[in-house]
Amino acid sequence: MKPMNVGLLGIGTVGAGTFTVLSRNAEEISRRAGRPIRIVAVAEKDVARANEITQGTCRVVDDAFAVVSDPEVDIVIELIGGCGVAKELVLKAIANGKHVVTANKALLAMHGNEIFAEAQKQGVMVAFEAAVAGGVPIIKAVREGLSANRIEWIAGIINGTTNFILSEMRDKGLSFDTVLKEAQRLGYAEADPTFDIEGVDAAHKITILSAIAFGIPMQFDKAYIEGISQLNAKDIKYAEQLGYRIKLLGITRRTPAGVELRVHPTLIPAKRLIANVEGAMNAVVVQGDAVGATLYYGKGAGAEPTASAVIADLIDVTRMHTADPEHRVPHLAFQPDQLVDLPILPIAEVQTCFYLRLRVHDEPGVLADITRVLADEQISIDALIQKEPGDGEDETDLILLTHLTLEKRVNAAIARLEKLSVVVGKVTRIRMEELGK
Ligand code: HSE
């Protein structure tokens, strides 16, 4: 049968992995797809590197626009990244009637609505399994495997760099800065790690998951994003003593008031499976009304794990290529005319439990002052632990765990607490999730 012809834009780590796995498993892939899938053209600025990888098996050019306009190409794989030229190329490929496979989470989270609308118009597929959690087939699971369910919430460790850093901080009791440097030396963290450590990468991914879970448009601009750069090793230690681990979670939840869409460091009970996901691994919990909680775990980055997702998309597109566009799985899991505009809740309106750490003078009346503020703001305390002051110190740490409360109430309480003469400096606040039902 006539092979499916692929044009690859960018042959960096993931591109090279895709090339390798596609060649190594060509026979199995062809048996699954019903026809061979072959890369016929690669666009790469570093032509010498591309030639070295492809070894004369396909054309290598330095002009990606030539590939998206090449009549021989049926599917374009976009592995350039970012929202600049990658967006132009994807839109051009779609306009030229080509299917697109992309790992570009930023592009989809920020411009997915426009891209899917264009793809719809042209009757082509845009597949993006590799955009979230690398090799973990979470898009397929949410969009197809769980399609009987009303999805209630999703919580995921969807950034390996930050999970590696948090694991090391906990394991070795090191500071964020020390571990970040180590992560950069080992190649886990990029030279400019901002997108990872400040939660932006995870926010791109949870935005995509939120859209396919609830049938809503991509709304990255409404996501609440807080990274791990301000996290203190002390809080990781205290959390551990209380039976919790701190993870950077992407969370999206459907509530009667709207959809929560947020990324932040989160205390989760150490007994949960996801709390034990260590190092650069990814894991996502999806709670469906029928199935209950399901957990997906694996490598969220790397050449061959990500290639695994890219090639699964190539096989899907190859199988569905001749199907009527209406008979394909919709891009965002729900039929395009069935998307709903549920509001994304501002973080002030989100309800969670909180871990609060206060530095206080160790003297009579301190607890009374603090608990009065919390009572005034209708915040119910679940646990309160006072640490022993260090030798010769008259200050100590006070840890408070709250019951469910609105974030705006906690904001108001913290503002008042920080004005109390018994409280020293800033109050540390970390959100908590039970991740039970
Ligand atoms: N930089 C990401 C991570 C991988 O650390 O998980 C690609 O999304």
Side-chain angles (χ1 to χ4, degrees):
M1 199 177 222
K2 180 182 167 295
M4 199 68 163
N5 291 333
V6 176
L8 175 60
L9 311 182
I11 192 156
T13 306
V14 177
T18 302
F19 198 87
T20 307
V21 177
L22 209 45
S23 323
R24 189 174 70 226
N25 297 343
E27 199 198 319
E28 298 251 330
I29 289 167
S30 168
R31 282 171 60 209
R32 288 191 169 107
R35 57 203 273 196
I37 299 175
R38 59 171 197 196
I39 294 178
V40 294
V42 172
E44 170 62 48
K45 283 218 177 74
D46 187 345
V47 173
R49 175 188 150 81
N51 278 325
E52 205 174 297
I53 296 166
T54 56
Q55 293 287 320
T57 56
C58 65
R59 274 175 289 124
V60 173
V61 295
D62 64 357
D63 176 14
F65 284 93
V67 172
V68 299
S69 300
D70 184 337
E72 201 196 0
V73 168
D74 303 304
I75 309 175
V76 168
I77 307 179
E78 184 273 307
L79 297 175
I80 292 173
C83 297
V85 72
K87 182 182 173 201
E88 276 179 60
L89 286 163
V90 164
L91 288 172
K92 187 83 185 144
I94 292 170
N96 289 339
K98 309 206 184 291
H99 305 292
V100 173
V101 171
T102 180
N104 193 334
K105 52 236 133 203
L107 179 64
L108 295 180
M110 297 176 74
H111 304 286
N113 301 328
E114 178 188 349
I115 288 168
F116 295 131
E118 287 306 312
Q120 196 67 29
K121 251 193 255 163
Q122 295 296 331
V124 297
M125 290 170 266
V126 175
F128 51 94
E129 184 63 69
V132 182
V136 183
I138 187 65
I139 300 295
K140 188 93 168 173
V142 175
R143 202 164 56 174
E144 297 176 51
L146 300 177
S147 57
N149 288 262
R150 188 173 198 274
I151 306 280
E152 291 166 352
W153 53 263
I154 297 180
I157 296 172
I158 41 182
N159 183 268
T161 306
T162 44
N163 203 53
F164 172 81
I165 294 174
L166 292 177
S167 299
E168 290 287 292
M169 284 174 77
R170 184 180 75 83
D171 235 23
K172 303 185 176 150
L174 297 171
S175 72
F176 170 80
D177 291 328
T178 309
V179 179
L180 174 60
K181 283 199 193 92
E182 178 68 358
Q184 282 171 318
R185 198 182 60 77
L186 292 172
Y188 281 115
E190 315 244 349
D192 178 0
T194 315
F195 264 35
D196 289 322
I197 63 173
E198 297 305 347
V200 179
D201 174 74
H204 289 145
K205 294 167 181 167
I206 197 69
T207 297
I208 296 171
L209 289 177
S210 183
I212 63 169
F214 306 128
I216 58 176
M218 301 280 180
Q219 293 170 81
F220 172 73
D221 55 331
K222 306 223 177 81
Y224 173 78
I225 311 175
E226 183 184 317
I228 62 165
S229 59
Q230 302 307 312
L231 203 62
N232 193 321
K234 195 185 229 189
D235 294 307
I236 296 179
K237 188 180 78 191
Y238 288 162
E240 179 112 53
Q241 291 166 1
L242 292 163
Y244 291 86
R245 297 263 167 91
I246 299 182
K247 295 290 183 188
L248 183 72
L249 290 189
I251 300 172
T252 188
R253 188 193 309 267
R254 192 200 308 247
T255 78
V259 172
E260 298 176 6
L261 182 59
R262 48 194 169 101
V263 172
H264 49 70
T266 314
L267 268 80
I268 47 181
K271 64 185 179 203
R272 299 270 179 258
L273 281 174
I274 192 171
N276 295 283
V277 170
E278 300 290 4
M281 301 302 282
N282 279 201
V284 183
V285 183
V286 184
Q287 175 83 24
D289 68 338
V291 72
T294 54
L295 173 69
Y296 308 83
Y297 169 83
K299 289 186 179 150
E304 293 205 5
T306 312
S308 163
V310 167
I311 296 168
D313 277 348
L314 287 179
I315 294 171
D316 261 2
V317 171
T318 302
R319 286 169 173 157
M320 299 306 289
H321 173 61
T322 50
D324 266 352
E326 306 88 80
H327 296 152
R328 296 175 185 151
V329 180
H331 291 117
L332 293 183
F334 293 73
Q335 297 299 335
D337 60 351
Q338 294 297 313
L339 295 187
V340 289
D341 233 340
L342 295 176
I344 303 289
L345 289 176
I347 191 70
E349 301 298 332
V350 168
Q351 264 203 333
T352 54
C353 300
F354 286 84
Y355 161 104
L356 302 176
R357 173 169 59 81
L358 297 81
R359 189 86 185 144
V360 296
H361 292 297
D362 193 14
E363 62 190 36
V366 171
L367 287 184
D369 287 352
I370 290 168
T371 51
R372 190 173 314 115
V373 169
L374 295 173
D376 285 354
E377 299 297 341
Q378 299 169 52
I379 297 170
S380 170
I381 299 170
D382 179 38
L384 189 156
I385 298 119
Q386 184 176 330
K387 297 284 165 191
E388 281 293 313
D391 277 347
E393 285 184 2
D394 73 339
E395 287 175 8
T396 190
D397 287 331
L398 193 68
I399 314 295
L400 282 154
L401 305 184
T402 77
H403 284 299
L404 268 185
T405 181
L406 273 176
E407 175 115 2
K408 66 182 172 196
R409 296 224 171 100
V410 171
N411 292 341
I414 289 177
R416 286 179 60 189
L417 289 170
E418 287 177 348
K419 286 198 188 113
L420 293 178
S421 61
V422 296
V423 173
V424 183
K426 293 278 179 204
V427 174
T428 298
R429 158 243 311 266
I430 307 175
R431 298 166 191 87
M432 295 174 55
E433 292 288 339
E434 281 301 315
L435 300 184
K437 179 74 184 96

